[in-house]
Amino acid sequence: MKLNMNRREFLAAFGTIAASAVLAGCGGKASTSSDAASGADASASSDDKSASATKKLIVGFDSAYPPYGYVGDDGSYTGFDLELAQEVGKRCDWDVQLEPIDWDAKDTLMNSGAINCIWNGFTIEGREDDYTFSEPYMLNAQVVVVKKGSGISDLAGLAGKAVITQTDSAAYDVLAGEDAAQADVAATFASLETIGDYNTAFMQLETGAVDAVACDLSIAAYQLAAKPDAYEQLSEQLSSEHYAVGFKKGDEASATQVTDTLKAMDKDGFVKDLCDKYADQGMDYANWCLA
């Protein structure tokens, strides 16, 4: 996604989003901000389907997006973000419902109340006007992965090559025109294709159906950890960005509760332990940015 500021500037900007106090069940402080107050008023409405109002967090996620959300060996949904969501629910006394979704349908599902948050390696940049976000919790980047021995060593080497990425992804937005410099790079490709999930994209890369996959750094790290002899990542990044939890526009109360609870989880070591659990899938605590 677009990023013309460094990490400190980005976090300073988000600092202006008032971190209103944790509501009952998430620390016990009383809220004083007008945003939180309006959120409380909304919670009283019978048609408010937010997590803070219903005490139910309905998480929309892509079930083929490891290590953030995917189907585990036992057939159940698992992943770094899903475990974060479940722990937040536990600490806030919220029920947590995990809903695998068609990524293209996420806005329709959010607006209908079928889900009340998107928690799945969800990029903030470029979506600020469409959702109310928690504070950012993870640094990320957009990168390109190629087959080992392909002879492609940099972005310039992608000229005349077939590149694939996920539909409606941060990587697609960058290459399709959101970043002028990278759009110029994409103009040299033989094709820029999209597909429903990254697992299938990497299968196409492995079989030679495409020459490269543009994806999140975390996805690349996961795939390289799984098949270190099959792939390599280009050193040049397409962009850098941040992940946060997305809520329906105006749902400040839920966003604040999640932010404050994540901070508490980091402070007591839960986040570090969870990053270590997923380290073999490319997760790195050094990229956690919420303090």
Side-chain angles (χ1 to χ4, degrees):
M1 306 297 297
K2 54 187 179 184
L3 188 74
N4 296 315
M5 59 180 77
N6 61 32
R7 173 183 173 181
R8 180 173 297 186
E9 290 169 335
F10 183 88
L11 295 180
F14 260 84
T16 62
I17 303 174
S20 55
V22 190
L23 302 182
C26 295
K29 298 179 186 175
S31 175
T32 58
S33 74
S34 58
D35 282 341
S38 62
D41 290 342
S43 296
S45 172
S46 61
D47 62 356
D48 186 353
K49 298 179 181 180
S50 68
S52 62
T54 62
K55 305 302 179 186
K56 184 174 185 178
L57 186 68
I58 309 175
V59 180
F61 70 100
D62 179 348
S63 63
Y65 203 75
Y68 288 92
Y70 59 98
V71 180
D73 292 339
D74 62 356
S76 61
Y77 297 120
T78 189
F80 180 80
D81 274 355
L82 301 189
E83 290 204 42
L84 283 180
Q86 289 166 327
E87 182 67 15
V88 165
K90 178 180 177 181
R91 297 190 185 204
C92 289
D93 196 25
W94 291 347
D95 290 331
V96 177
Q97 179 178 330
L98 303 179
E99 285 292 336
I101 62 172
D102 179 342
W103 198 243
D104 287 345
K106 59 186 179 298
D107 293 339
T108 299
L109 295 170
M110 180 79 86
N111 291 331
S112 71
I115 59 175
N116 58 22
C117 83
I118 299 171
W119 198 334
N120 194 199
F122 196 40
T123 303
I124 293 176
E125 286 86 350
R127 295 183 172 118
E128 297 91 339
D129 295 335
D130 301 324
Y131 305 89
T132 290
F133 283 101
S134 69
E135 290 183 34
Y137 62 89
M138 188 68 73
L139 294 171
N140 189 44
Q142 296 304 315
V143 299
V144 175
V145 176
V146 297
K147 288 182 72 173
K148 270 196 172 178
S150 68
I152 302 170
S153 59
D154 55 21
L155 295 178
L158 295 172
K161 305 298 184 182
V163 180
I164 196 168
T165 189
Q166 188 180 44
T167 305
D168 195 31
S169 65
Y172 178 79
D173 289 342
V174 169
L175 291 169
E178 190 168 277
D179 184 304
Q182 303 306 353
D184 288 343
V185 171
T188 71
F189 300 166
S191 62
L192 176 59
E193 304 171 25
T194 59
I195 200 163
D197 65 85
Y198 277 121
N199 286 339
T200 307
F202 275 90
M203 288 175 59
Q204 293 205 11
L205 177 60
E206 189 168 10
T207 63
V210 297
D211 300 296
V213 177
C215 61
D216 290 352
L217 175 63
S218 55
I219 299 299
Y222 175 84
Q223 294 290 345
L224 267 65
K227 296 185 176 181
D229 297 327
Y231 309 125
E232 57 188 352
Q233 178 186 314
L234 302 187
S235 60
E236 294 175 84
Q237 295 182 352
L238 296 172
S239 69
S240 57
E241 61 193 26
H242 301 78
Y243 286 162
V245 186
F247 296 89
K248 190 173 182 179
K249 194 68 175 177
D251 187 6
E252 302 286 351
S254 298
T256 296
Q257 283 187 267
V258 167
T259 293
D260 290 339
T261 307
L262 286 174
K263 288 180 179 180
M265 288 160 56
D266 181 38
K267 187 175 181 179
D268 65 26
F270 180 90
V271 171
K272 173 64 164 58
D273 289 344
L274 191 61
C275 286
D276 290 345
K277 176 180 177 180
Y278 286 92
D280 64 345
Q281 298 181 38
M283 193 59 61
D284 189 347
Y285 181 66
N287 292 327
W288 184 265
C289 61
L290 180 60

